[in-house]
Amino acid sequence: MTAGPETHDVVVIGGGPAGLAAALGARRAGAEDVLILERERELGGILRQCVHDGFGLFLYKESISGPEYAERLAEDAWREGVRTRTGAMVLDLTADRLLRVNSADGYRLIRAGAVVLAMGCRERTREMIEIPGTRPAGVLTAGSAQHMVNLQNLRIGHDAVILGSGDIGLIMARRLTFEGMRVRGVFELMPWANGLERNVRQCLRDFDIPLELSSTVVEVRGRDRVSSVVVARVDETFRPIPGTEREVPCDTLLLSVGLIPENELSRRAGIELSPLTGGALVDETLTTSVPGIFSCGNVLHIHDIADGASFEGFAAGRRAAEFLARGAGAAESRRVRIAPGENIRYVLPQAAQAGTEGLELNFRVTVPGRDRWVTVRGAASGALYFRKKFARLVPSEMLKIRIKRAVEEDVEVRCHG
Ligand SMILES: Cc1cc2nc3c(=O)[nH]c(=O)nc-3n(C[C@H](O)[C@H](O)[C@H](O)COP(=O)(O)OP(=O)(O)OC[C@H]3O[C@@H](n4cnc5c(N)ncnc54)[C@H](O)[C@@H]3O)c2cc1C
């Protein structure tokens, strides 16, 4: 007779801030047996390599470094009875919550009462954005460079160019400067910076690092190691403008050109994904299209700051515990859809139970603007559910609004003049 799968009430996949918070959320909401599976040898996710401060302003009301933030969450989790297994890579997940796990002590099957997905994201690479030129050493994603410099204590080069003004690229511009490297400039395709304003100020302007907007790298040069890149201005359709090319000598090119939620396991479980976020479609309880499987943090949508991922994690864990307590097979209720309209890149959640009061919506705008209205209206009736004027809106900042009135019909979120 073969032993059946190991069983747990709630299994959280990923031990970054979202996963740690999800496990705590589940425990605090009454789940007895909560297990985190983390493929790395340590908990903390991306936070472990973010040695600068500025984390925890909302959760802990103070500015701490990434590793300190991870340590606090992990210690809370252990103190409050969360079980953790590191070096445990989840290889497969089914819709009925059976996990196949490869860990130091071998291959295991685990059956979960509820699952919280918290696998984070990965970076877009050179291949994905198809930069022409030679293929020398010295082209790295900003996150890999952060890992090499901060965790492996490696020097990655002398002269760097950074493509993309996402937060990781901005933070690495400052970090490389501290490490004695020269950062020749940050080149951004869009006519605005993609990272937070505070990072543009604190990481570039304070160090006189140039930021060139509406620009891109059109060629990488060098045989064994990068020797230069060619940059060019782009037009409004993002095509390089002939005649604007300029060669910038450097031995390192860092790419900070976008993050992709890690949803391979979600796909295997048959979870429906959003083409707008790259993460699962969820309702107001952070339940995916597969009952009993919840999603939070960067695997759901890319957060600006770790606190955002943690708060979402707490909520997802609490909902997973409620699902367990309620038992599967609870009656399905009527759903309303929440759709992005004019100048809204995405809105989350994408659905909610009809009649939900105090519904919280996260959204990003498509283009920056000043003195813009954000409205939520009934898609068919045109009824106004929410209206607020924002002095300044930028795509790099995720915004949250709360609709007090019960939402009884499909609604659309718009941002307009
Ligand atoms: C490269 C990078 C640098 C960043 N730098 C900053 C910064 O400087 N400042 C800031 O405020 N924010 C920064 N962020 C954003 C912030 O760190 C994130 O918002 C936050 O870490 C997201 O938390 P998470 O738990 O969703 O994901 P993560 O922190 O990425 O954690 C996900 C965890 O899941 C694990 N995992 C994935 N798949 C599996 C699997 N199949 N089995 C088991 N485990 C798995 C991973 O190993 C990882 O530990 C950065 C993000 C990235 C990607």
Side-chain angles (χ1 to χ4, degrees):
M1 202 173 80
T2 53
E6 179 186 324
T7 59
H8 297 277
D9 289 347
V10 177
V11 172
V12 179
I13 310 177
L20 286 163
L24 277 163
R27 281 287 297 144
R28 289 173 186 170
E32 283 287 323
D33 171 16
V34 180
L35 173 70
I36 297 179
L37 297 171
E38 166 56 53
R39 66 184 169 192
E40 298 291 334
R41 281 202 309 228
E42 286 172 55
L43 296 168
I46 289 294
L47 292 176
R48 294 190 307 118
Q49 66 187 61
C50 301
V51 299
H52 52 281
D53 68 357
F55 289 86
L57 292 170
F58 298 94
L59 184 58
Y60 295 115
K61 309 278 183 282
E62 59 179 305
S63 176
I64 54 178
S65 69
E68 284 173 295
Y69 188 105
E71 198 176 285
R72 283 195 197 185
L73 268 180
E75 278 176 4
D76 284 350
W78 289 322
R79 197 173 32 249
E80 295 185 33
V82 171
R83 299 161 71 178
T84 60
R85 199 172 294 162
T86 52
M89 169 95 178
V90 180
L91 303 173
D92 193 20
L93 170 68
T94 64
D96 58 354
R97 304 185 292 282
L98 186 67
L99 297 94
R100 288 171 214 280
V101 185
N102 189 26
S103 49
D105 54 357
Y107 176 80
R108 280 167 192 255
L109 282 180
I110 296 181
R111 170 82 62 195
V115 170
V116 182
L117 307 172
M119 292 91 76
C121 64
R122 61 171 180 270
E123 296 174 283
R124 269 153 63 93
T125 61
R126 176 179 176 182
E127 285 64 36
M128 292 176 182
I129 57 167
E130 299 178 349
I131 309 174
T134 54
R135 301 183 56 81
V139 181
L140 302 165
T141 61
S144 317
Q146 192 178 50
H147 192 276
M148 290 163 86
V149 173
N150 292 348
L151 291 184
Q152 294 170 275
N153 200 22
L154 295 171
R155 182 173 184 125
I156 60 164
H158 296 90
D159 269 283
V161 160
I162 301 181
L163 176 61
S165 61
D167 286 313
I168 312 168
L170 301 180
I171 283 162
M172 282 312 289
R174 177 177 65 183
R175 186 79 186 106
L176 296 184
T177 307
F178 287 156
E179 288 294 312
M181 281 181 75
R182 177 167 174 189
V183 179
R184 302 236 173 209
V186 175
F187 296 86
E188 168 57 55
L189 191 70
M190 306 302 282
W192 55 79
N194 256 319
L196 297 174
E197 175 53 34
R198 75 163 197 223
N199 284 336
V200 174
R201 206 174 46 244
Q202 294 171 2
C203 302
L204 299 188
R205 275 191 223 132
D206 287 358
F207 295 89
D208 291 327
I209 299 169
L211 169 63
E212 291 195 26
L213 302 174
S214 298
S215 304
T216 190
V217 170
V218 291
E219 189 185 338
V220 175
R221 292 183 178 166
R223 238 170 65 95
D224 299 326
R225 174 89 197 190
V226 175
S227 58
S228 67
V229 295
V230 179
V231 296
R233 309 247 332 133
V234 297
D235 62 20
E236 50 297 336
T237 62
F238 309 118
R239 288 212 189 87
I241 304 172
T244 64
E245 298 87 356
R246 183 175 106 234
E247 187 170 8
V248 182
C250 60
D251 62 6
T252 306
L253 172 64
L254 288 201
L255 304 177
S256 177
V257 289
L259 300 169
I260 304 169
E262 286 260 11
N263 274 296
E264 283 64 29
L265 288 176
S266 321
R267 277 192 201 94
R268 292 189 67 84
I271 289 168
E272 222 180 308
L273 300 182
S274 156
L276 300 179
T277 57
L281 292 170
V282 289
D283 66 11
E284 83 286 5
T285 68
L286 299 170
T287 304
T288 65
S289 58
V290 175
I293 304 186
F294 300 77
S295 182
C296 60
N298 277 358
V299 75
L300 179 58
H301 60 140
I302 303 300
H303 287 261
D304 308 335
I305 54 170
D307 280 345
S310 302
F311 286 124
E312 204 168 74
F314 285 120
R318 176 168 58 84
R319 296 299 194 163
E322 286 169 6
F323 170 84
L324 270 181
R326 204 171 55 235
E332 265 286 300
S333 55
R334 187 168 67 85
R335 295 295 165 115
V336 298
R337 289 195 319 127
I338 305 152
E342 180 185 350
N343 194 20
I344 300 289
R345 199 159 97 205
Y346 72 80
V347 61
L348 192 135
Q350 295 90 353
Q353 225 176 91
T356 302
E357 285 178 17
L359 183 63
E360 281 196 346
L361 302 182
N362 300 285
F363 68 93
R364 282 182 197 275
V365 293
T366 317
V367 294
R370 286 189 182 275
D371 297 324
R372 292 303 191 93
W373 287 99
V374 171
T375 54
V376 181
R377 286 184 181 275
S381 69
L384 186 66
Y385 285 88
F386 178 90
R387 185 170 115 106
K388 184 177 170 183
K389 196 168 196 177
F390 286 83
R392 188 173 159 273
L393 287 164
V394 284
S396 58
E397 274 174 42
M398 191 171 68
L399 289 154
K400 207 184 253 305
I401 57 175
R402 192 161 177 274
I403 306 175
K404 288 193 198 135
R405 198 179 139 188
V407 178
E408 298 284 1
E409 58 177 323
D410 292 354
V411 290
E412 186 184 69
V413 185
R414 291 176 61 225
C415 171
H416 46 94

